[in-house]
Amino acid sequence: MLPQGPGLALAFLSVATSATAAPLNPATRAAELEGILEELQPRALLLARGSDPEARAVATKRGVSVLDLEAGNSRAHHPRISGPGIASIAEEGKSMPGDVALVLNTS
């Protein structure tokens, strides 16, 4: 649930190298997000660091790890994804041919 822009594009490409990405509308309300998380059954939800306390609460309630994207502010400071569940997710390795890279949730 990231705002549109370069950070979203970079995050999508980064996630898609080792997991299935399912970009969500950052304007999604808690009740709708509950249903989306129920349907998708994600292992993690990626949010901009410090953003969206509602989405964080919904994800935590459902047992979904919340990962934070910290945007880089210069060429020397690259964006980083961090969070309590990232080590176990990263251990699974890279995607393989035939893996699903993208899921688009529609209404």
Side-chain angles (χ1 to χ4, degrees):
M1 294 184 62
L2 299 169
Q4 291 183 5
L8 172 61
L10 181 60
F12 167 73
L13 292 172
S14 298
V15 168
T17 66
S18 60
T20 301
L24 301 176
N25 182 347
T28 301
R29 297 283 184 210
E32 185 181 2
L33 183 58
E34 285 266 0
I36 292 169
L37 296 181
E38 172 71 27
E39 182 181 341
L40 296 178
Q41 297 289 307
R43 293 190 51 212
L45 181 66
L46 181 60
L47 299 169
R49 181 177 297 285
S51 72
D52 210 334
E54 242 184 37
R56 288 172 188 278
V58 169
T60 300
K61 176 181 163 189
R62 297 199 55 79
V64 176
S65 295
V66 176
L67 302 180
D68 288 304
L69 175 67
E70 182 179 350
N73 57 11
S74 71
R75 287 182 185 222
H77 185 223
H78 301 289
R80 291 183 169 192
I81 297 174
S82 62
I86 198 161
S88 64
I89 293 168
E91 284 178 13
E92 293 186 21
K94 295 187 177 193
S95 296
M96 301 298 292
D99 286 352
V100 174
L102 174 64
V103 172
L104 293 177
N105 186 49
T106 59
S107 53

